[in-house]
Amino acid sequence: MLSATPTPRLGDWLLDEGYLQPAQLDLALREQKRGGKLLGEALVDLGFVSREVLSRFLAEKTQSDAVHVSRLVVPPEILDLVPQDLARRFLALPLSREGNTLQVAIADPLNVTAFDLLEQVTGLRVNLAAASAHELLSAIDRLYQSRQSVDQIVDELLQLDRDQLANTTEKDAPTIRLVDRIIQEAVNLGASDIHVHPEEKVLRVRLRRDGVLDPGFLLPKQIQPALIARFKILGGMDIAENRRTQDGRGKVTISGRDVGLRFSSLPTSFGESLVLRILDRGMSTQDIAALGFAPALERNFRALVERPHGVIFVTGPTGSGKTTTLYAALGLIDGSETSIFTLEDPVEFQLPGVRQTQINETIGLTFADGLRTLLRQDPDVILVGETRDTETAQLVTRAALTGHLVFSSLHTNDALAALPRLVDLGVAPYLLAPTLAGILGQRLVRRLCPQCRQPSQPPRRLLESLGKHTPAGTPAFHQPVGCPHCRGTGFRGRLGVHELVTVEATLQKAIAANADAHEMNTLAHAQGFQTMLDDGIAKAAAGLTTVEEVLRATGS
């Protein structure tokens, strides 16, 4: 039922909660009037707020929960209660039933017509929960539509002759349907990568989900050339060239939303190996509050981003979420009052109000060359995707010295290791000390599925091995179990474990004096520095992940 409690209008609520600036709301209202849109649609199209924020508002307005449906598994008997055409019409998905009450996720909980019709059709009392329209559309497609399985398409392919098998242009060709099915399944499962791995007698397809590569499934060797060719066509790659490495980019539409794909091919003994990186904006987040920061660390990181100038580095290995954190940091900055530029390799997502440049070293557009030119574009904030050579490191430092706020990533094992690494790259300590604002180190760990996790105490030997990192108080450790919501893995999504070095006066003096690693570590801990291991164990003790996950991710 709809709430009788008075709540503010959407625009007022977003202003009060700090999601919008008045100038942004004025622009959205003009766009709403000009395009005949709903205000929420205009705000999302302009990139001012996310759909998750709108869902949160609707949930508050109706005193209901905001739910995520992208990975939910709904039993067929529940789906049968709401016809597919009705689910699509109102973007309403039945979730569960308790007695005579049906829980339904819906894009617009204020739609009284949908509410009345759902109760009339189902004959049940309906409770509504707010959900993202994009997530609902994807879930409705995934759960309602009966698609051919991979095995059925493969059986069809094996009945074709060589010429028919090689046909990768006709829209309904089995090869095209098989590739589309693989990509769609990967997107629906929230995978970050697809690995097409040729072996001696079979072709293996594997998905990386929540940072872990699954065993995958096997396909007959005879369909390998056609399948590889279709993937390469999607990536705009040369299908006649199989002796050299290639990179490509493409885009597909899944459940009404565009999903970017980044391709990499590598010749191997048994054919070309392909890896597809899935750049799904609908599954990513640029909301700093959703990255798993501990409250105190998040406050300190936000304070760094609010500085007028300085360099902020995010460190960690490939796949540790550095780009997502950097994008989220830019999201904290009011783009209506500042000039924001990025240099990236590659540009993973388009950011509204930000001028983004793709690095292309084959034509001489390197990070260093792009940064030199960019500094003549009157920037306030600069994001340099990676600092990986002497010239870039020196330019980044000098840009901060001349009054710019600069973000960049650095490949080091932890935050404090960035200091000697920057000196090794040729940054003079006396220049580094006054320009370095802070260093964030991070890793990603798998998040326990909240639906099926169970309380469990880790083995005593494991806890004893933590030494000084053993959590105080009464920890609420949990273990993975596995259920339909997490597809039997026991984990669902990932969260970050972090450590943050804020460069204050004492550390500045030590950096300028080129102090050794031991002294830097002592000074950092004296000002309250906590390691990624400390942060991870605290999250394991809160039941968000496991001790084993934390030790795996941090290498401890």
Side-chain angles (χ1 to χ4, degrees):
M1 297 191 54
L2 301 182
S3 169
T5 305
T7 54
R9 292 179 301 172
L10 175 60
D12 295 332
W13 183 83
L14 291 169
L15 287 174
D16 292 342
E17 294 293 320
Y19 290 110
L20 274 186
Q21 298 294 326
Q24 293 175 315
L25 178 58
D26 289 342
L27 178 59
L29 289 170
R30 291 198 299 272
E31 182 67 20
Q32 175 194 15
K33 185 176 181 180
R34 182 166 48 247
K37 304 176 179 179
L38 295 173
L39 177 58
E41 293 174 353
L43 289 166
V44 171
D45 289 345
L46 289 168
F48 293 158
V49 298
S50 67
R51 297 184 186 277
E52 288 71 23
V53 169
L54 294 184
S55 294
R56 203 176 304 161
F57 166 75
L58 292 171
E60 183 174 307
K61 185 96 172 171
T62 59
Q63 294 186 346
S64 61
D65 294 328
V67 297
H68 293 281
V69 298
S70 57
R71 300 189 186 184
L72 284 183
V73 176
V74 180
E77 63 270 17
I78 300 298
L79 290 175
D80 290 343
L81 295 172
V82 177
Q84 183 178 349
D85 59 346
L86 185 63
R88 285 184 170 278
R89 177 182 170 189
F90 294 115
L91 288 182
L93 178 68
L95 303 178
S96 60
R97 176 180 178 178
E98 291 186 12
N100 290 325
T101 300
L102 181 67
Q103 184 78 6
V104 177
I106 190 168
D108 181 8
L110 300 178
N111 190 328
V112 179
T113 301
F115 179 82
D116 290 341
L117 196 53
L118 285 168
E119 289 205 332
Q120 179 182 337
V121 168
T122 62
L124 300 170
R125 181 177 180 272
V126 170
N127 279 345
L128 297 179
S132 159
H134 276 274
E135 285 193 13
L136 281 165
L137 183 58
S138 175
I140 289 168
D141 277 352
R142 172 171 56 88
L143 295 168
Y144 276 98
Q145 289 185 351
S146 57
R147 304 184 186 96
Q148 279 184 292
S149 70
V150 169
D151 289 340
Q152 289 173 320
I153 302 176
V154 169
D155 289 342
E156 187 177 342
L157 279 168
L158 293 177
Q159 296 174 15
L160 303 179
D161 59 35
R162 180 175 298 179
D163 291 338
Q164 291 173 315
L165 188 61
N167 186 348
T168 58
T169 57
E170 291 186 9
K171 184 176 181 180
D172 197 44
T175 307
I176 292 179
R177 282 188 277 120
L178 178 57
V179 168
D180 290 349
R181 182 74 177 84
I182 291 171
I183 294 174
Q184 191 165 46
E185 183 69 9
V187 172
N188 287 338
L189 290 174
S192 61
D193 301 88
I194 302 171
H195 288 240
V196 184
H197 176 197
E199 298 181 4
E200 183 177 8
K201 297 181 180 180
V202 294
L203 179 67
R204 187 183 298 273
V205 177
R206 309 174 72 185
L207 304 180
R208 185 178 295 279
R209 296 172 53 206
D210 296 335
V212 177
L213 201 59
D214 67 22
F217 57 90
L218 302 179
L219 298 174
K221 189 72 173 179
Q222 53 264 50
I223 72 171
Q224 177 177 312
L227 197 70
I228 295 291
R230 177 57 190 167
F231 274 118
K232 291 174 73 175
I233 287 173
L234 276 180
M237 304 158 76
D238 184 357
I239 63 173
E241 178 57 74
N242 56 17
R243 298 167 301 171
R244 297 180 180 176
T245 61
Q246 294 189 61
D247 294 314
R249 295 182 72 88
K251 185 169 67 175
V252 295
T253 301
I254 304 290
S255 301
R257 72 176 187 269
D258 290 335
V259 175
L261 300 171
R262 196 171 78 222
F263 296 75
S264 174
S265 72
L266 177 71
T268 71
S269 300
F270 303 119
E272 285 182 279
S273 171
L274 285 178
V275 176
L276 285 70
R277 169 63 56 88
I278 299 172
L279 307 174
D280 184 3
R281 184 64 178 267
M283 291 297 293
S284 69
T285 179
Q286 280 81 50
D287 183 358
I288 198 78
L291 298 183
F293 284 140
L297 190 145
E298 181 179 339
R299 287 194 299 272
N300 292 336
F301 186 70
R302 285 176 178 268
L304 289 178
V305 175
E306 291 172 358
R307 292 191 180 189
H309 54 80
V311 185
I312 300 170
F313 283 103
V314 179
T315 72
T318 300
S320 60
K322 297 188 298 296
T323 299
T324 298
T325 299
L326 289 170
Y327 281 176
L330 291 186
L332 296 174
I333 300 170
D334 182 3
S336 66
E337 298 179 354
T338 53
S339 177
I340 306 175
F341 289 82
T342 74
L343 297 169
E344 303 175 63
D345 185 22
V347 175
E348 295 199 0
F349 297 113
Q350 296 298 324
L351 303 175
V354 178
R355 281 166 279 186
Q356 297 172 264
T357 298
Q358 168 73 52
I359 294 302
N360 188 342
E361 295 188 353
T362 59
I363 62 171
L365 181 54
T366 63
F367 280 114
D369 182 68
L371 186 52
R372 276 194 302 271
T373 303
L374 191 153
L375 288 171
R376 297 192 290 270
Q377 293 279 313
D378 188 30
D380 296 306
V381 179
I382 303 168
L383 188 157
V384 178
E386 184 181 347
T387 298
R388 57 191 182 199
D389 57 59
T390 296
E391 190 174 9
T392 304
Q394 292 175 342
L395 284 168
V396 162
T397 305
R398 294 187 183 279
L401 199 61
T402 54
H404 302 90
L405 181 61
V406 185
F407 298 90
S408 189
S409 70
L410 198 64
H411 283 273
T412 61
N413 288 330
D414 55 54
L416 286 169
L419 297 171
R421 173 63 178 152
L422 289 165
V423 174
D424 289 343
L425 283 173
V427 180
Y430 73 88
L431 287 177
L432 183 60
T435 56
L436 186 60
I439 311 164
L440 178 74
Q442 68 178 54
R443 296 290 191 277
L444 294 176
V445 296
R446 289 184 293 173
R447 186 190 294 268
L448 281 166
C449 174
Q451 303 294 327
C452 64
R453 64 176 186 170
Q454 288 185 356
S456 176
Q457 190 71 5
R460 178 180 297 178
R461 185 170 52 185
L462 182 62
L463 289 178
E464 289 175 349
S465 71
L466 298 177
K468 65 179 181 179
H469 303 284
T470 304
T474 307
F477 290 116
H478 285 69
Q479 68 177 0
V481 177
C483 69
H485 293 274
C486 59
R487 297 182 181 266
T489 65
F491 296 93
R492 188 174 170 191
R494 290 189 287 177
L495 76 158
V497 294
H498 308 91
E499 59 186 26
L500 179 64
V501 176
T502 301
V503 180
E504 304 295 352
T506 305
L507 268 180
Q508 279 185 350
K509 292 179 181 178
I511 293 170
N514 201 17
D516 60 28
H518 176 73
E519 183 177 351
M520 292 290 190
N521 187 63
T522 301
L523 291 173
H525 278 86
Q527 66 179 35
F529 173 72
Q530 289 192 317
T531 67
M532 284 182 283
L533 180 58
D534 291 323
D535 185 45
I537 296 301
K539 286 168 180 171
L544 299 176
T545 186
T546 66
V547 174
E548 292 84 353
E549 265 295 294
V550 173
L551 295 177
R552 178 192 63 80
T554 60
S556 301

